[in-house]
Amino acid sequence: MYEWILPSLREILSASQSNMAECSSAKAEQQWRISLAATEHLLLNNLGTTTFNITQGLVLTAPAPLFSQPKLTQSLQTVTFTAKPFNPLALMPFHVSPAMRQSASKGAISALDDTTLINNYAYTNHQINPEESILPLLPADPLGAEQFCLVFTEKFRLVLVLSEHHSGKKEFLFSFEPEVVQQAWQALGARVILTNPELFANLDTLVQKYPPAAPNYQTIIQFSQFLLQELPETETDKLTHTIPLSPPLHLHVSSSAKPSSRSDVELLQAFAHEVRTPLATIRTLTRLLLKRRDLPTIVINRLEVIDHECTEQIDRMELLFKAAELETCTAAKSANTHLTPMSLDQVLQQSIPRWQQAANRRNLTLDVALPQQLPTVVSNPAMLDRVLTGLMENFTRSLPPGSSIQVQVIPAGDQLKLQLSPQLDCHDTTRTVTLPIRKSLGQLLMFQPETGTISLNIAATKHLFQAIGGKLIVRQSQQYGEVLTIFLPLEVSGKHKLKVT
């Protein structure tokens, strides 16, 4: 028996899995985060060689969008289910068409036929635009308490669910089985029929573009590799599970493994996750409003500001989360995080306009000097743009208004050198720079009292660059201020001689 008239995704996946290992709620949440990261890598790996202006997949999520990578947002259509929609909706009696009956599960339709349940509701004056990507769940629906992600592509289908029992214990489940994913979609489709029957046909057409098919074994292998890659390994766990083959030595455990430091890291992870979720919902609603053509210019301008601020803070939260995650891993493991040859030119084309906006907001001038041809570097495509933009944001906050920032990209042997240097006043050679005051906040953060800015400290930022295959060097000068230099390794088989314009 189901808890409600329609099965939840947890009930569907639980029925398909006979053996499930029990774990704590914290472990289940960790499995959910790691699996989402692996799914993001899998999608980037499968969609990376195709034009990103063409829709290549569908993602159904709750309670907020899960993927913010530009390549994925441009290539995937996302529909978000939420128990707290922007416009509250309810039910009214409606007629179920034969086409809907064939697509939905028999159990779901039999529940829909129970008019005594349906007649208790009525539509409000608010209507959902068919082009909008947020759909409501009824308040009594237990699915509203679940976090889930259904992915539909030509190569595979995948469902992931993080749910909570009545006892308060959380459980994570996932499946690549076509039948299970189809049942999950039928359960969601039946809910769309309940709340917005006029939208079901369009959504069902989108799903049917990616018919059920058993995934290739290579896809499963890739997903497993990404899971192992994202799995954190603490120093204390490593020492605990190591069988001594010789008399024990006095080993020094790094500060990241100390209980007090671990609690700081876990608190930061939880904080970043809780802040990112409502921001992602606000950004989605803002972008839906921006699609309307009847808005005044002043409203559009303010919505664009909201969208920009949400995106900026979401990226910051993801950087904080990733930095905290790296602190729970061994240095050797974090240094090998999904590095692959990639086009730096494409990254800079996306990053430089955002850098320019950050400089303009603080009355700064940005001067960028790029080579005529940029080579292929070896890094993490999913993180490089985010880490560079975060570094630039922090760099601009440390400079007084009227300053200029010079960005240079030059060759340095087997590496590419990207340098950020301030140009405060070229005519005053006697001027000295007052370096910004920064106070430490725990293991990973620092606080700048003059601006009220909280950001990653230098050590955590260097760790991020190390994780994506690079190296960050910070030099401080009384005359020039802080000079940041980033080194990225070149692809061995694709070195180019660079000519700076």
Side-chain angles (χ1 to χ4, degrees):
M1 291 293 296
Y2 299 137
E3 296 180 9
W4 198 55
I5 58 175
L6 296 172
S8 68
L9 299 193
R10 177 186 65 82
E11 291 171 328
I12 292 174
L13 269 71
S14 297
S16 67
Q17 301 179 11
S18 56
N19 297 321
M20 294 185 295
E22 294 186 2
C23 63
S24 64
S25 294
K27 186 68 173 178
E29 290 180 349
Q30 183 189 57
Q31 292 171 348
W32 163 256
R33 293 193 297 265
I34 290 174
S35 298
L36 285 179
T39 303
E40 185 176 59
H41 288 318
L42 186 64
L43 288 169
L44 288 170
N45 192 63
N46 282 274
L47 306 179
T49 58
T50 315
T51 304
F52 294 105
N53 295 327
I54 301 176
T55 301
Q56 303 172 55
L58 173 68
V59 178
L60 309 180
T61 72
L66 299 172
F67 305 124
S68 59
Q69 280 291 321
K71 292 181 180 179
L72 296 184
T73 56
Q74 294 170 16
S75 302
L76 302 173
Q77 184 166 354
T78 300
V79 178
T80 304
F81 290 80
T82 174
K84 298 179 180 180
F86 185 70
N87 290 326
L89 293 177
L91 288 174
M92 69 176 294
F94 59 89
H95 174 69
V96 180
S97 66
M100 294 178 184
R101 288 181 177 272
Q102 292 178 358
S103 299
S105 62
K106 295 181 180 179
I109 296 301
S110 64
L112 297 180
D113 288 338
D114 189 353
T115 56
T116 59
L117 291 173
I118 298 174
N119 288 333
N120 293 329
Y121 299 94
Y123 274 117
T124 65
N125 292 328
H126 303 289
Q127 297 294 329
I128 287 185
N129 190 314
E131 296 182 355
E132 293 185 354
S133 56
I134 293 183
L135 294 175
L137 295 172
L138 294 175
D141 192 344
L143 190 65
E146 296 184 353
Q147 299 180 59
F148 62 81
C149 176
L150 272 75
V151 179
F152 300 88
T153 69
E154 293 181 355
K155 293 185 178 181
F156 67 90
R157 285 179 164 196
L158 171 64
V159 55
L160 307 98
V161 183
L162 178 67
S163 61
E164 183 173 340
H165 291 275
H166 294 300
S167 62
K169 188 175 181 179
K170 292 187 177 181
E171 180 182 29
F172 170 70
L173 299 166
F174 76 94
S175 178
F176 278 93
E177 295 183 33
E179 298 80 4
V180 177
V181 180
Q182 183 66 15
Q183 291 175 17
W185 155 240
Q186 289 174 349
L188 290 178
R191 287 166 167 85
V192 176
I193 294 175
L194 278 172
T195 56
N196 296 96
E198 73 281 3
L199 302 183
F200 173 79
N202 291 337
L203 186 56
D204 187 56
T205 300
L206 291 176
V207 173
Q208 299 309 320
K209 288 175 60 178
Y210 312 100
N216 189 290
Y217 75 95
Q218 292 181 344
T219 301
I220 307 299
I221 291 176
Q222 288 178 356
F223 183 76
S224 302
Q225 290 173 338
F226 291 139
L227 279 177
L228 294 174
Q229 170 186 295
E230 295 292 334
L231 187 65
E233 179 186 356
T234 63
E235 283 290 333
T236 50
D237 290 340
K238 185 177 179 181
L239 294 175
T240 301
H241 293 89
T242 301
I243 301 175
L245 301 178
S246 59
L249 302 176
H250 294 286
L251 298 177
H252 173 71
V253 180
S254 65
S255 59
S256 63
K258 296 179 181 179
S260 59
S261 299
R262 281 183 55 83
S263 62
D264 289 344
V265 170
E266 291 171 355
L267 177 62
L268 181 58
Q269 285 181 312
F271 171 77
H273 176 72
E274 291 301 319
V275 170
R276 182 193 178 281
T277 299
L279 285 175
T281 302
I282 294 171
R283 183 176 64 175
T284 300
L285 295 171
T286 301
R287 291 179 177 179
L288 294 178
L289 288 173
L290 285 170
K291 292 181 179 180
R292 296 181 56 176
R293 300 179 180 179
D294 57 345
L295 297 177
T297 303
I298 186 173
V299 174
I300 293 176
N301 293 338
R302 290 176 178 175
L303 287 175
E304 288 176 344
V305 171
I306 294 173
D307 178 79
H308 173 80
E309 291 297 328
C310 286
T311 299
E312 183 177 309
Q313 297 307 318
I314 288 172
D315 289 342
R316 288 186 65 205
M317 291 301 106
E318 290 182 348
L319 275 183
L320 295 181
F321 187 89
K322 188 63 179 180
E325 188 177 52
L326 289 174
E327 289 302 314
T328 64
C329 303
T330 62
K333 180 176 175 60
S334 62
N336 298 319
T337 305
H338 191 51
L339 304 183
T340 183
M342 58 176 292
S343 170
L344 183 62
D345 182 51
Q346 184 178 2
V347 173
L348 292 181
Q349 285 181 4
Q350 297 175 354
S351 300
I352 290 176
R354 291 198 293 269
W355 299 355
Q356 188 67 60
Q357 291 178 1
N360 292 340
R361 287 199 304 270
R362 294 172 176 85
N363 194 23
L364 304 173
T365 303
L366 183 67
D367 180 22
V368 181
L370 296 179
Q372 293 179 347
Q373 183 180 5
L374 285 169
T376 300
V377 298
V378 179
S379 187
N380 185 312
M383 289 181 59
L384 181 59
D385 173 58
R386 196 175 298 164
V387 174
L388 287 176
T389 300
L391 184 69
M392 177 61 75
E393 287 284 348
N394 294 335
F395 191 62
T396 56
R397 291 190 184 100
S398 65
L399 299 177
S403 303
S404 177
I405 303 173
Q406 187 176 47
V407 180
Q408 287 183 312
V409 179
I410 56 179
D414 292 338
Q415 296 178 313
L416 196 65
K417 176 182 175 182
L418 192 153
Q419 189 171 74
L420 309 180
S421 55
Q423 309 292 319
L424 300 178
D425 192 343
C426 299
H427 302 288
D428 187 0
T429 58
T430 62
R431 178 178 179 178
T432 59
V433 179
T434 301
L435 297 174
I437 300 174
R438 297 187 177 104
K439 297 182 178 180
S440 176
L441 288 179
Q443 183 181 348
L444 299 174
L445 303 180
M446 60 183 180
F447 174 64
Q448 193 171 330
E450 295 92 338
T451 60
T453 301
I454 296 176
S455 59
L456 290 174
N457 59 31
I458 298 298
T461 305
K462 288 184 176 181
H463 199 179
L464 275 176
F465 275 99
Q466 181 185 0
I468 61 176
K471 182 179 181 181
L472 171 66
I473 297 177
V474 180
R475 291 190 294 108
Q476 295 183 341
S477 168
Q478 290 296 328
Q479 184 177 356
Y480 298 103
E482 280 187 344
V483 177
L484 309 182
T485 306
I486 300 110
F487 292 94
L488 295 171
L490 297 176
E491 185 183 17
V492 176
S493 59
K495 300 177 187 176
H496 298 80
K497 293 183 178 180
L498 305 183
K499 298 179 181 179
V500 181
T501 55

